[in-house]
Structures are given as structure tokens and as C-alpha cells.
Amino acid sequence: MKPSSRRNFIGDATKAGIGGMFALPVIGSLLSFTSKSKVPPPPPAFKTGFDQTPLAYAFNALEPNIDAETMQIHYTKHAAAYSKNLKEAAAAEGIDATGSVEDVLAKVSKYSMKVRNNGGGHYNHELFWKVLSASTTTQPSAALSAAITTSFGSLDALQKQFNELAKTRFGSGWAWLIVTPEKKLVVTSTPNQDNTMMDISDVKGFPLFGLDVWEHAYYLKYRNVRADYVTNFWKVLNWGYVNERFAQSA
Ligand code: MN3
């Protein structure tokens, strides 16, 4: 196949939604050859749309660790604004709002700061609501526990590293546990509404969970004591959902 026809073939396959059975290996091998540092696409089950999804629990379900008033304002005002502003920016910049936010984040450097801030903000919160749970009975799966031991030595060590990053992130941002493209577990943090799915991120990977450390996420209850909010986050972390994300990404 001549180089020009090969390009055309890939272009057509991409436009067709990368649906062709035999197009996938071609595109996959090109990607792994040309862009080693890119975040691999997320498992289809975890694609994020542009609209807010309903909360799976009541605003007061996470009391006393996260209070009802914070949850209500956070979900209906802050997070709702990210979704609204993302859709507005998408319309202005020719982004298909029926696609996935992950696809936008993977090339966010091509778009405006409005897309970066609100695309990140929407994605991060959609994930955040799902990694929270009123149930405190869930635990890391055997597979995730093994990976945590390999990467950190123990769950305690992971929590210590994560808490330190969450507490010391200057200003507003997020702390993350991610699976890197090399399939390693790493804790990291990002400023503002950035995340590790973005092509501009220094550390890239698929987030298993993230913690919002913007003051709007904790100030009503915890005031200036971010450390207590970070510690209590572990009491409402939905390991069941984290296990699912890990199983499909590792
Ligand atoms: Mn927030």
C-alpha cells in the first residue's frame, strides 16, 4: 500500500467511527508506534457524556463525612456550571457534544481554556460522584490489592502518599490514583480542573479515583482544615466502583 493510500484508508476508518474489524489493529499499531506518551482510550464502559448524570444517592447520604449542603451546592451549582459551560464552548469550537469528553481531553491543547477548564471540571466531577458511596463496606479487590502492594508496598503507604499530595496541592486542584499507559499505579495531583487524561498533563493515565480539593468541596463543613476532609474521604470511597475501573483498565 502506498503511503498516500494508507493515510486515506486510516482517515476513512477514523471517520467511520473506527468500527471496522480490521481497521483497529492498524490504528492501534500506529498509535503505539508514534505516540508512546499518550493516554490510551478509556474502556468504553467508562466514556463520559457532556451532560450531568443523576447522583446515585441523596445529598445527605455521605453525612457526616461530606455534608448535605456541600453536596447539593457542589452538584447543582458548581458541577452543573462545568457541564453547561462545556456545552457552550463545544458549540462555539465545533466539538461534537454527542461524543465523549475523554476524546476532547485527549486533545485539549487544541482548544480554548474554556474547554480545558470546563471539560476537565465536568469529567472530574462526573467521576467524583461515582467514587463516593454511603457504603463503607467495600474494599479493594484481590487484583487491585496486589497492584497496590506492588506499587506502594501497602494500602497505608498509598493513602499516606495520596493524602500528602491532596493536602499540599497549592490552591485548587485534584489528587488522583491513576493507571499509567505502562499499567503502573501512581498517585499524582493536578491544578485547577486539569486531569491526567489531558494531553497537556505532565503525568498521564486513566484515573481510578480523584479527590476534589477545591475549597467549595469542603469549606462549609471543614473550614480551613483540608487535612480532615482528606482523611475522611477514605470513609466514603466506593472501592466497588474503583475495582471495576481497575479491572477494565489494567
Ligand atoms: Mn468541585
Side-chain angles (χ1 to χ4, degrees), residues 169-226:
R169 162 51 60 191
F170 184 77
S172 298
W174 290 74
W176 304 100
L177 175 67
I178 65 168
V179 181
T180 69
E182 296 76 32
K183 305 296 180 192
K184 286 189 180 140
L185 288 184
V186 167
V187 290
T188 189
S189 81
T190 53
N192 305 315
Q193 294 295 356
D194 287 355
N195 63 49
T196 60
M197 299 290 282
M198 293 180 170
D199 61 352
I200 49 84
S201 183
D202 292 335
V203 180
K204 295 184 182 66
F206 178 68
L208 296 185
F209 61 81
L211 175 61
D212 188 344
V213 296
W214 284 56
E215 283 187 344
H216 69 225
Y218 63 86
Y219 202 87
L220 289 179
K221 178 179 173 67
Y222 294 94
R223 302 300 168 179
N224 58 315
V225 191
R226 188 194 286 182

Side-chain angles (χ1 to χ4, degrees), residues 98-113:
T98 64
S100 79
V101 178
E102 285 87 346
D103 289 346
V104 176
L105 301 181
K107 50 185 177 185
V108 80
S109 60
K110 296 185 192 326
Y111 302 117
S112 66
M113 281 305 292

Side-chain angles (χ1 to χ4, degrees), residues 74 78-79 82 125 128-129 174 193 212 214 216-217:
H74 202 175
H78 294 278
Y82 295 124
H125 288 85
F128 188 52
W129 312 132
W174 290 74
Q193 294 295 356
D212 188 344
W214 284 56
H216 69 225

Side-chain angles (χ1 to χ4, degrees), residues 57 61-62 132-137 235-236 238:
Y57 41 80
L62 307 173
L132 298 174
S133 169
S135 164
T136 54
T137 59
K235 298 177 186 169
V236 287
N238 182 359

Side-chain angles (χ1 to χ4, degrees), residues 66-80:
I66 302 179
D67 64 285
E69 188 182 12
T70 295
M71 283 300 296
Q72 181 164 13
I73 296 170
H74 202 175
Y75 180 86
T76 65
K77 305 293 183 191
H78 294 278

Side-chain angles (χ1 to χ4, degrees), residues 12-31:
D12 291 347
T14 307
K15 268 182 255 166
I18 322 181
M21 287 293 281
F22 70 101
L24 274 171
V26 176
I27 291 166
S29 65
L30 278 183
L31 282 180

